[in-house]
Structure formats: C-alpha cells, structure tokens
Amino acid sequence: MKMTSPTVDKPLTRAERKAALLADLEQQRVDMLVNSDYLLRATAPLDKHWNSLKLPLYAVGGIVAFRLIRHPGGMMAAGRKALAGYMLFRKFKLLAKVAS
C-alpha cells in the first residue's frame, strides 16, 4: 500500500523565484563589497611601494626604449644573449633533474 505525504512541496511561483534570485544577488553584492575592502587593506603596503617605484621604472623603460630606437642592433644582441642564457639555464636544470 502506497502512502502519500499530506504536505507536498509545491513549485515556487515566478514571483517567489524572482524574489529569491534578487536576494541572492543582493547577498553576492554585499560579499563582493566586503571582499574588495579586505583586498584593498591587504594590498595597501604593496600599492604604497609600487607607487614609490613607478617613476624610476618608467624612467629606466624610457631610456631603454630610446636606446633601442637609436641603436637597435646592440639591444637585439643583448636580447639574444639573454635568451640563450635562459635556455642554457633550463637545460642545466633538466640535466640536474635527470642526473639525480
């Protein structure tokens, strides 16, 4: 014999679903505000140091760009040497992993 429960869950109406979704959106907005405030406080020291380094880095970048425009061959050779050094480093690292 099969028994049915007297309280059957009825599906939510469209208005109830909309209200539930709007409540979820509002909670997500609150969570985002709280998390963004936490993130801003956590990164404040980094931002302060970045602002103190920004101007010198821009100046060095400008000098490098100026030299690259004036003498592109020297910078290209330096770039090739840096790339070759990096590739050599990776090969030595792989060799050390295989050897151990």
Side-chain angles (χ1 to χ4, degrees), residues 12-78:
L12 297 175
T13 65
R14 183 174 181 179
E16 291 170 336
R17 285 194 323 254
K18 182 178 178 180
L21 286 173
L22 288 174
D24 286 345
L25 283 174
E26 185 64 27
Q27 184 59 46
Q28 289 174 359
R29 288 184 185 123
V30 169
D31 290 343
M32 284 176 53
L33 285 171
V34 169
N35 289 335
S36 67
D37 184 51
Y38 174 76
L39 180 66
L40 286 175
R41 279 189 275 117
T43 60
L46 294 174
D47 289 339
K48 186 178 76 171
H49 292 299
W50 167 248
N51 285 332
S52 67
L53 290 175
K54 196 173 4 176
L55 185 61
L57 287 176
Y58 284 157
V60 168
I63 291 169
V64 168
F66 181 72
R67 285 190 53 105
L68 181 62
I69 290 170
R70 298 268 305 175
H71 308 286
M75 293 297 266
M76 295 300 270

